[in-house]
Every structure is written in C-alpha cells, then in structure tokens.
C-alpha cells in the first residue's frame, strides 16, 4: 500500500514540475531567438555587439 502512495506522489510531483521545465525551455528558446535577431540586425547595420 505504501508503494502505491509513493508512486502516486512521485507521479503528481513530476506532472506539476514538467510545465515549469517546459516554460523555462520556451523562455530560453525565445531568449536565443532574440539574441540571434539582434545579432543579425547589428551585423546588417555594420555595428558590433557590445562587449
């Protein structure tokens, strides 16, 4: 019986954590896309990235 409750709690915690990990991954992807767009825009203007 205890094993069943343990499995249930692990599944519940895992289900609750996945959206956070997915949203972090989406935010990282958007950050990389913004950086790429800024880099391309600056390269087209002939300016360098700030150091």
């Amino acid at each position: 019986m205890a094993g069943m409750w343990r499995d249930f709690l692990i599944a519940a915690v895992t289900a609750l954590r996945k959206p956070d990990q997915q949203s972090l991954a989406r935010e990282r992807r958007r950050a990389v896309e913004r950086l790429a767009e800024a880099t391309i825009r600056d390269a087209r203007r002939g300016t360098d990235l700030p150091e």
Side-chain angles (χ1 to χ4, degrees):
M1 187 78 166
M4 180 179 68
W5 282 108
R6 184 197 64 201
D7 292 344
F8 172 77
L9 289 174
I10 290 172
V13 168
T14 301
L16 292 174
R17 276 195 323 176
K18 282 190 179 182
D20 292 336
Q21 292 172 354
Q22 290 173 353
S23 65
L24 287 173
R26 281 192 301 269
E27 182 55 36
R28 285 187 201 113
R29 205 171 308 117
R30 283 193 295 266
V32 169
E33 288 172 358
R34 286 192 301 267
L35 178 60
E37 290 169 359
T39 302
I40 291 168
R41 187 173 50 248
D42 290 344
R44 286 181 179 160
R45 281 193 229 148
T47 59
D48 292 331
L49 288 174
E51 294 182 14

